[in-house]
Amino acid sequence: MNFAAQFFYSRYLSERLERLYSPRPAMTDCVENDPFWQSEELRLGPNLPSGYKKGCPGMVNGIPGRRPTLIEPERLKDFGEEELLNGDVRVWEARSSGRPEIQLTEPPKTRRMSEFKSRPRPSTEYLRFEDISAATFKIQSAIQKTPCTYSRLSKQYGMEIYLKKEHLHYTGSVKERGVFYLLTSLTQEQQKKGVIVATDCNFSMAVAHHAVELKIPVFAIMPSSCSVPRLRVYRDYGAMVISYGTAARDSRNHACHLAKDNGYLYLEEDEQEAYLAGLGTVGLEIYEQVPKLDAVVVPASGQFGLLAGTAAAIKHLNPRILVVGVEPEGYPLLLQSLKTGAPCKDMTSRPNSKLYGDLAEHSLGIQTFQLAKKHVDKIITVSEESALVAMLRFQEFERSTVDTEGAMGLAAILAGQLPELRGKRVAVVVSSANMELDLVRQCVERALVLDERISKFTVELGNMPGDMAKLLDFLSREDVRLLDVCHRRHCDKTELFKIQVECVVETRDKTQSVQLRKTLCERYPSLRWLDR
């Protein structure tokens, strides 16, 4: 018998004996309908004191009293141990029944570590889209958002051409984006000590300008071969210019020595993540400025960081957009690297240092190569002649002067190497416009010759008065501009009483040049055209 059953049973016997020997009238008006009270006998209340008032159950002399708890004996069966039969108590035998036996399954087979297949973890990308987005937010306070305008050359070449004019930056180069984000990513200690550059290129000019804007000391170590106007540009930006050595290698070695001894940070164009992220902001702006874009043509600039960063941003936003990289024909570094499957270190050919100065001293990094391999759809090369003609088109149709590196994107379209883009909407990145004035003049003159608008010929005329005047009169009637004329009387190859005249003329376009050649050959059989 458990404790609860024993307690209730003892209470029941004491109350029953009390009611049997001293009966009292039942409380009919004050007893609630309790389901435990089933018989009339059980409804008899206890002895009522003298102070009890009818209608106030449980009150004794104004003090609430306790009503005894009466439980029907049948309810004791709920405890499962004893049963009341005719006043006798029958005790049941309590049996403890245990829980059902649990059938254990066979233990799992122990596996060795060698049986598990090793799954390589996914490699994290070197340049993430989040890095480019962060760079866009950071540089917007100092780097202007360049326009991406519709070109008047579109109808001429059968496609919608939009020119992303990155040459409009303060230093004339797109590399300001990467340089500014790189400088702001330096620690305060590095910014306090200063930075040092040692090559005359667009990267160094951007460092000189933005380091001064950010109150960072900057030193430029330049070789003596650097032109005076270029040195003046660095000084105007606020850099401390030091002329050292006769070649670029000497100035770089001296810059590294100064950086090591004085704690300066030596900066050169490479594949740092912050630098590539800053250059990748070009892709975000193009995607925002040109709706329904089909392709982007990007020149291979410097360490190919512009191409890699722009392609990474464009492909993240819309993988269907075609990304085309353009590099010079005389230095196909990226194209050769993609063929071999690894960055090429040694190239037999070198680019023209005057036309492609930023490409002459740089190589292709591993991370940049991997980005280009993953995101760039096509790599093409353009000749030096095509780049010069593209420079001429910029001056004539866009009223802007760019260098050969900035004109390479348009040169690929002018040379007809992208026929699949006809009828498409194409954005062309114009990366830079840093070329000295004397070199620009030479490039324009050479481009006019390549475009067959400046021609040179020699003709034998008689030594009679008026023969020279007839030739000049004929050229004026053909609406041809005479640039230069040379009259030689003493020439070993001419006949006796003959003179040789050499003329340089300029025509409006190629059609007029062809017509002039045809007419001159019919009039002067001895005429001979000279290709420059």
Side-chain angles (χ1 to χ4, degrees):
M1 181 183 300
N2 58 21
F3 175 77
Q6 184 179 3
F7 173 75
F8 286 117
Y9 180 66
S10 62
R11 289 289 301 270
Y12 164 71
L13 289 180
S14 62
E15 292 178 359
R16 185 178 181 187
L17 291 176
E18 183 179 359
R19 286 194 301 270
L20 288 177
Y21 292 99
S22 58
R24 293 290 183 270
M27 297 167 52
T28 58
D29 297 335
C30 301
V31 179
E32 298 178 358
N33 185 16
D34 195 331
F36 287 99
W37 301 346
Q38 299 296 332
S39 62
E40 184 178 357
E41 181 183 3
L42 297 177
R43 300 176 72 88
L44 299 177
N47 296 331
L48 296 177
S50 59
Y52 174 76
K53 293 183 181 181
K54 187 177 180 180
C56 298
M59 298 293 296
V60 179
N61 293 330
I63 301 175
R66 182 181 60 84
R67 187 177 63 183
T69 304
L70 301 179
I71 302 178
E72 187 180 2
E74 295 293 333
R75 297 297 299 271
L76 295 176
K77 295 179 180 181
D78 296 339
F79 297 98
E81 292 189 355
E82 52 191 28
E83 182 179 1
L84 181 63
L85 295 176
N86 299 325
D88 297 331
V89 178
R90 182 182 177 182
V91 181
W92 286 0
E93 183 180 359
R95 297 178 180 179
S96 60
S97 59
R99 296 182 179 179
E101 184 179 359
I102 301 176
Q103 298 294 334
L104 297 178
T105 59
E106 295 182 0
K109 182 181 178 181
T110 305
R111 301 176 63 182
R112 299 180 179 178
M113 293 298 296
S114 59
E115 297 181 10
F116 291 93
K117 295 181 178 180
S118 59
R119 297 181 179 178
R121 295 182 179 179
S123 58
T124 57
E125 294 188 17
Y126 175 73
L127 180 63
R128 303 174 302 169
F129 182 76
E130 290 79 3
D131 301 329
I132 302 177
S133 301
T136 304
F137 178 78
K138 191 67 174 292
I139 70 175
Q140 63 181 354
S141 60
I143 303 298
Q144 62 175 341
K145 188 176 183 179
T146 57
C148 189
T149 58
Y150 182 79
S151 176
R152 284 174 286 183
L153 293 169
S154 301
K155 297 180 180 179
Q156 184 176 352
Y157 295 97
M159 62 184 71
E160 297 184 37
I161 302 175
Y162 289 83
L163 299 177
K164 180 61 173 173
K165 299 180 179 180
E166 290 296 310
H167 65 286
L168 297 181
H169 287 291
Y170 187 81
T171 62
S173 172
V174 66
K175 297 180 182 180
E176 285 193 27
R177 297 175 177 267
V179 166
F180 180 80
Y181 190 57
L182 176 61
L183 293 175
T184 55
S185 302
L186 300 178
T187 62
Q188 293 184 357
E189 183 180 358
Q190 291 174 340
Q191 293 181 0
K192 184 178 180 180
K193 289 184 178 180
V195 296
I196 187 169
V197 293
T199 54
D200 180 23
C201 59
N202 294 330
F203 177 83
S204 299
M205 295 179 66
V207 171
H209 169 61
H210 286 290
V212 174
E213 294 292 325
L214 295 173
K215 309 300 181 182
I216 301 175
V218 56
F219 303 90
I221 313 299
M222 296 297 164
S224 59
S225 58
C226 185
S227 63
V228 176
R230 299 283 284 193
L231 294 178
R232 187 183 301 114
V233 170
Y234 285 98
R235 292 191 179 96
D236 292 341
Y237 288 158
M240 176 65 69
V241 180
I242 302 175
S243 181
Y244 184 89
T246 57
R249 181 177 57 186
D250 300 332
S251 61
R252 284 197 297 267
N253 294 336
H254 185 61
C256 294
H257 179 72
L258 291 178
K260 183 178 180 180
D261 293 345
N262 300 277
Y264 303 138
L265 179 63
Y266 176 65
L267 291 180
E268 61 180 355
E269 189 174 5
D270 53 12
E271 53 177 10
Q272 296 187 46
E273 182 179 350
Y275 181 66
L276 296 182
L279 294 177
T281 58
V282 178
L284 294 182
E285 291 188 6
I286 291 177
Y287 188 82
E288 177 185 353
Q289 293 171 331
V290 184
K292 298 180 181 180
L293 187 63
D294 295 316
V296 179
V297 182
V298 187
S301 173
Q303 286 274 0
F304 302 88
L306 175 62
L307 175 60
T310 304
I314 290 293
K315 286 298 183 179
H316 179 87
L317 296 171
N318 189 353
R320 293 191 299 269
I321 297 178
L322 184 69
V323 179
V324 181
V326 185
E327 56 182 347
E329 190 178 46
Y331 193 62
L333 180 60
L334 181 57
L335 183 61
Q336 189 67 26
S337 300
L338 292 175
K339 290 181 179 179
T340 58
C344 293
K345 300 299 180 181
D346 298 327
M347 291 287 294
T348 56
S349 61
R350 303 299 298 178
N352 192 327
S353 59
K354 290 187 176 181
L355 298 181
Y356 305 102
D358 285 3
L359 286 172
E361 299 294 337
H362 296 302
S363 60
L364 179 62
I366 298 177
Q367 301 294 343
T368 309
F369 170 74
Q370 295 295 336
L371 289 173
K373 182 179 179 181
K374 180 179 180 181
H375 299 294
V376 179
D377 300 301
K378 186 177 181 180
I379 300 294
I380 58 177
T381 59
V382 294
S383 61
E384 180 181 311
E385 292 77 10
S386 299
L388 294 176
V389 174
M391 289 179 57
L392 182 63
R393 294 290 185 269
F394 269 105
Q395 290 188 348
E396 290 182 325
F397 292 90
E398 299 298 329
R399 303 297 187 266
S400 58
T401 302
V402 301
D403 54 16
T404 50
E405 183 179 330
M408 281 196 302
L410 184 61
I413 298 177
L414 304 186
Q417 299 192 33
L418 296 173
E420 66 273 15
L421 298 184
R422 281 192 168 273
K424 302 293 183 63
R425 184 169 292 188
V426 184
V428 180
V429 179
V430 186
S431 60
S432 59
N434 279 328
M435 184 175 284
E436 297 182 15
L437 184 60
D438 185 33
L439 185 58
V440 171
R441 179 181 57 82
Q442 298 179 31
C443 290
V444 170
E445 292 179 355
R446 178 62 178 168
L448 290 172
V449 175
L450 295 173
D451 201 32
E452 299 184 7
R453 292 165 55 178
I454 291 183
S455 303
K456 182 179 180 181
F457 63 89
T458 59
V459 62
E460 292 182 0
L461 300 178
N463 200 13
M464 300 298 295
D467 290 342
M468 184 68 178
K470 293 180 181 178
L471 175 62
L472 299 179
D473 182 64
F474 172 79
L475 294 177
S476 63
R477 284 188 283 107
E478 291 291 332
D479 196 15
V480 175
R481 182 184 178 187
L482 183 63
L483 299 180
D484 191 16
V485 60
C486 182
H487 182 208
R488 294 187 179 93
R489 287 184 175 272
H490 306 284
C491 185
D492 297 337
K493 296 183 180 181
T494 57
E495 298 181 2
L496 189 61
F497 308 112
K498 294 283 185 178
I499 60 174
Q500 184 178 8
V501 178
E502 181 179 296
C503 297
V504 180
V505 296
E506 180 181 0
T507 56
R508 292 189 303 270
D509 50 23
K510 187 176 180 179
T511 303
Q512 187 185 16
S513 178
V514 173
Q515 182 64 29
L516 177 65
R517 291 193 178 202
K518 181 180 178 180
T519 307
L520 284 176
C521 290
E522 293 176 354
R523 187 179 184 90
Y524 300 99
S526 61
L527 186 138
R528 185 163 53 95
W529 293 94
L530 303 177
D531 295 330
R532 297 177 62 183

